[in-house]
Amino acid sequence: MNDNHMMPDRKRAIDRAEHVFYKTYNRYPVIFDHGDGVYLYDSEGKEYLDFGAGIAVMGLGYNDPEYNLELAEQLNKLLHCSNLFYNQPAIDAGEKLLKASGMEKVFFTNSGTEAIEGALKIAKRYAYNRDGRGGHEIIAMKHSFHGRSLGALSVTGNDHYQEPFAPLLPGIKFADFNDLDSVKALVNQNTCAVIMETIQGEGGIYPATEEFLNGVRDLCDAGDMLLILDEIQCGMGRSGSMFAWQEYGVEPDVMTVAKALGNGVPIGAFLARGKAAVAMKPGDHGTTYGGNPFVCHAADTVLRLFEERHILEHVKLTGTYLWDRLEEFAAAHDCVAAHRGKGLIQGLEFDRPAGELVTKALLEQNLVLISAGANVIRFVPPLVITENHVDQMIEKLNQLV
Ligand SMILES: *Cc1c(COP(=O)(O)O)cnc(C)c1O
């Protein structure tokens, strides 16, 4: 079936979509139908090489037979029973997450944003337990992204996202990422936590420097403040370690995870250790869906397959290969201003709007890329990509500039 023949169907479906959806997105004019490995297929059967993974979600790629089988089995067993009772998949997934992170307690959520909400509540509760009063402050970073709910938006350092919804949570102050003095300058006896991404994602793929992360850890220790690391995008193996902070030799008090945790089913989590792990009490927090057996069996399977398939080792090798190829590309093209990242979370900063390149890549090269901020293309492919896929991507990239 040729393209032109099918175009009217696509057009009709997109018109219907625009008619029904609340307009908060400008979508690209493609309808994805199915996926396999690191490829997506649209409604006209066209194949796309995917370097976006549904925004860093599909770590194991699409249509993995073993993952699918596990989900089908759980589907036929039990989907949901509420947190009034126990379920085995949540226990299994929880134990694996604690083992992988060294944290002491986990709470399962439905999304990244909700994991952030829980982390912020731990910080407030921790300081309340300590001081017997509220009114505490949290330090967040400029150009950060933590989600869209009002709490998560309050710590997202982006005026454009925040302004229409002000006033947001009081007592949030923004420091410059990777500038320790700017954090120090905001600390006072009311500060209860510092929250940051270990590698800023939406903000343009900026890894924290060793000096900065270590410095913030020391500040938090000295001031009895919690360090909250948002690993929602950079975690789950993407950096080459299970969690990006594990490359730095510092531990957070609270961390958040989501995106790749369920490989496509909606699940997130916040984890805590030490005093942060017992700050909230029964009744302080809850969720109806969160941690249900279906999503937890997905996460448990993801964590099991990561280990069985040595995903971290694979990411280290493939990430280095991607790094070298993108370095070559950057050196050969003046339009590339910078190259940043680690493992399979890397960014190229261009001298032009990234949106143009993303559109061209999608429609002309059948390559799925996503932007991060105005001028940055972010490379967050399924973690199972091979060097051959990287080569194919670079070839397509060469056609774009
Ligand atoms: C995507 C993201 C979030 C929000 O997660 P949702 O699942 O979209 O709610 C929070 N923090 C970071 C770093 C993210 O990349």
Side-chain angles (χ1 to χ4, degrees):
M1 266 181 268
N2 81 37
D3 234 329
N4 295 336
H5 180 69
M6 294 303 288
M7 279 296 277
D9 280 350
R10 181 175 11 155
K11 172 89 173 55
R12 249 192 305 279
I14 289 174
D15 286 346
R16 284 169 64 198
E18 291 303 328
H19 194 69
V20 297
F21 294 153
Y22 204 113
K23 185 76 181 168
T24 65
Y25 280 103
N26 288 311
R27 293 177 160 88
Y28 297 98
V30 171
I31 303 170
F32 282 122
D33 180 70
H34 61 283
D36 199 53
V38 302
Y39 293 96
L40 278 165
Y41 299 84
D42 72 11
S43 52
E44 289 147 35
K46 211 184 292 167
E47 180 183 271
Y48 297 76
L49 178 61
D50 178 28
F51 266 68
I55 318 186
V57 167
M58 303 301 295
L60 294 172
Y62 301 92
N63 199 27
D64 182 88
E66 204 172 345
Y67 172 86
N68 287 0
L69 188 68
E70 291 290 343
L71 260 66
E73 276 178 12
Q74 189 61 46
L75 173 69
N76 289 313
K77 229 164 121 183
L78 184 64
L79 283 179
H80 178 84
C81 62
S82 92
N83 285 304
L84 302 177
F85 312 98
Y86 298 96
N87 76 74
Q88 192 64 45
I91 301 168
D92 294 340
E95 277 180 354
K96 285 196 179 66
L97 261 186
L98 296 187
K99 184 159 171 266
S101 64
M103 296 279 123
E104 292 165 17
K105 298 287 178 193
V106 60
F107 182 104
F108 287 111
T109 67
N110 307 293
S111 67
T113 299
E114 287 168 88
I116 295 292
E117 294 294 324
L120 297 177
K121 281 179 74 174
I122 289 182
K124 286 184 170 260
R125 186 53 145 124
Y126 176 81
Y128 177 85
N129 296 346
R130 185 186 65 196
D131 302 343
R133 59 168 178 85
H136 294 97
E137 297 178 1
I138 294 171
I139 299 174
M141 299 298 144
K142 292 176 188 165
H143 307 295
S144 60
F145 182 86
H146 298 293
R148 306 302 200 128
S149 62
L150 290 169
L153 183 59
S154 299
V155 290
T156 288
N158 181 321
D159 294 338
H160 174 72
Y161 287 165
Q162 283 201 350
E163 205 179 275
F165 305 103
L168 295 169
L169 273 186
I172 311 292
K173 293 176 168 174
F174 288 95
D176 291 307
F177 192 60
N178 282 337
D179 177 350
L180 188 59
D181 287 337
S182 78
V183 182
K184 272 186 196 155
L186 298 177
V187 175
N188 61 44
Q189 81 264 23
N190 280 329
T191 316
C192 67
V194 178
I195 182 169
M196 67 166 110
E197 296 148 89
T198 318
I199 301 174
Q200 285 194 334
E202 311 284 322
I205 315 296
Y206 288 93
T209 62
E210 294 256 340
E211 189 196 6
F212 184 64
L213 197 52
N214 278 283
V216 172
R217 178 69 271 176
D218 291 345
L219 267 186
C220 287
D221 288 340
D224 196 10
M225 304 179 292
L226 300 183
L227 173 59
I228 304 170
L229 290 180
D230 181 346
E231 289 269 338
I232 290 169
Q233 186 160 165
C234 60
M236 290 304 294
R238 199 154 273 289
S239 68
S241 296
M242 197 59 181
F243 300 105
W245 57 262
Q246 291 168 330
E247 311 217 330
Y248 293 79
V250 299
E251 273 181 299
D253 302 294
V254 181
M255 62 170 273
T256 56
V257 57
K259 289 198 163 83
L261 177 59
N263 204 59
V265 306
I267 180 170
F270 59 82
L271 297 100
R273 69 179 178 93
K275 279 189 275 180
V278 292
M280 286 206 285
K281 313 292 179 204
D284 275 348
H285 200 58
T287 165
T288 299
Y289 288 139
N292 85 22
F294 186 69
V295 297
C296 283
H297 190 57
D300 185 50
T301 301
V302 167
L303 291 161
R304 174 172 67 80
L305 295 179
F306 263 49
E307 197 162 310
E308 285 177 14
R309 297 178 185 177
H310 309 288
I311 294 288
L312 298 181
E313 289 81 350
H314 179 76
V315 171
K316 282 195 187 91
L317 292 173
T318 325
T320 303
Y321 188 75
L322 176 65
W323 181 267
D324 293 344
R325 294 301 320 260
L326 287 178
E327 281 289 285
E328 260 173 52
F329 180 83
H333 296 91
D334 289 340
C335 59
V336 179
H339 175 205
R340 296 183 290 269
K342 271 175 201 236
L344 290 175
I345 175 165
Q346 297 187 31
L348 281 186
E349 190 173 322
F350 285 86
D351 64 357
R352 61 192 74 173
E356 283 172 28
L357 293 167
V358 170
T359 305
K360 245 176 118 178
L362 184 73
L363 300 181
E364 294 175 17
Q365 295 297 321
N366 296 349
L367 169 66
V368 177
L369 294 175
I370 47 182
S371 58
N375 293 342
V376 177
I377 297 281
R378 104 181 89 166
F379 300 88
V380 287
L383 303 178
V384 295
I385 57 153
T386 62
E387 295 186 356
N388 175 35
H389 296 127
V390 173
D391 291 343
Q392 288 177 39
M393 186 278 291
I394 295 281
E395 243 172 73
K396 290 171 184 286
L397 212 55
N398 274 315
Q399 307 298 313
L400 293 179
V401 294

